[in-house]
Amino acid sequence: FRDWQILSNTPHAGCHVVCTGVFEYLHASASQSTQTINPELLKETYALTAREAEIATQVLMGKGDKAISYELDISFTTVRTHMKNIFSKLSVQNRTALAHKLMS
């Protein structure tokens, strides 16, 4: 990844390092995912549970674990458990690899 930028959103939050290449990829995937990713298709194709497919779709929309837990009214730990299961079933190590696999 060639382009790194430091973003400081609030004075007390400190700096966050973000790889712009990954951000742009996930942003593009999120806009495509609402049009092309169907949770039912994810269930059938990758043997995901209904909840895992729902969470994978949320990830493709660019949502973080806390936002997903709030939106689906489940605990953060439950989201992390589902993410671990999704990564295992799709043989990926992170969100970027997940997005790449689901969008290709």
Side-chain angles (χ1 to χ4, degrees):
F1 301 108
R2 54 180 165 65
D3 299 322
W4 292 86
Q5 66 185 136
I6 298 177
L7 304 174
S8 179
N9 294 332
T10 61
H12 64 279
C15 294
H16 302 280
V17 178
V18 177
C19 174
T20 56
V22 171
F23 176 77
E24 289 168 3
Y25 178 80
L26 290 175
H27 181 70
S29 294
S31 62
Q32 291 176 358
S33 69
T34 57
Q35 299 169 3
T36 60
I37 297 298
N38 178 346
E40 290 298 319
L41 183 62
L42 292 179
K43 284 172 44 179
E44 294 171 13
T45 305
Y46 298 105
L48 298 177
T49 65
R51 187 60 99 178
E52 289 167 352
E54 189 174 15
I55 290 172
T57 303
Q58 296 283 321
V59 169
L60 287 174
M61 289 190 285
K63 296 183 181 175
D65 294 344
K66 287 182 183 180
I68 294 169
S69 70
Y70 178 78
E71 191 164 314
L72 301 180
D73 196 28
I74 57 177
S75 75
F76 175 80
T77 306
T78 301
V79 172
R80 296 300 303 156
T81 299
H82 285 304
M83 289 297 297
K84 179 180 160 188
N85 294 338
I86 293 166
F87 289 170
S88 176
K89 288 180 180 181
L90 274 71
S91 300
V92 297
Q93 299 295 317
N94 55 50
R95 289 171 183 266
T96 304
L98 174 66
H100 180 71
K101 186 162 193 166
L102 294 179
M103 296 308 295
S104 48

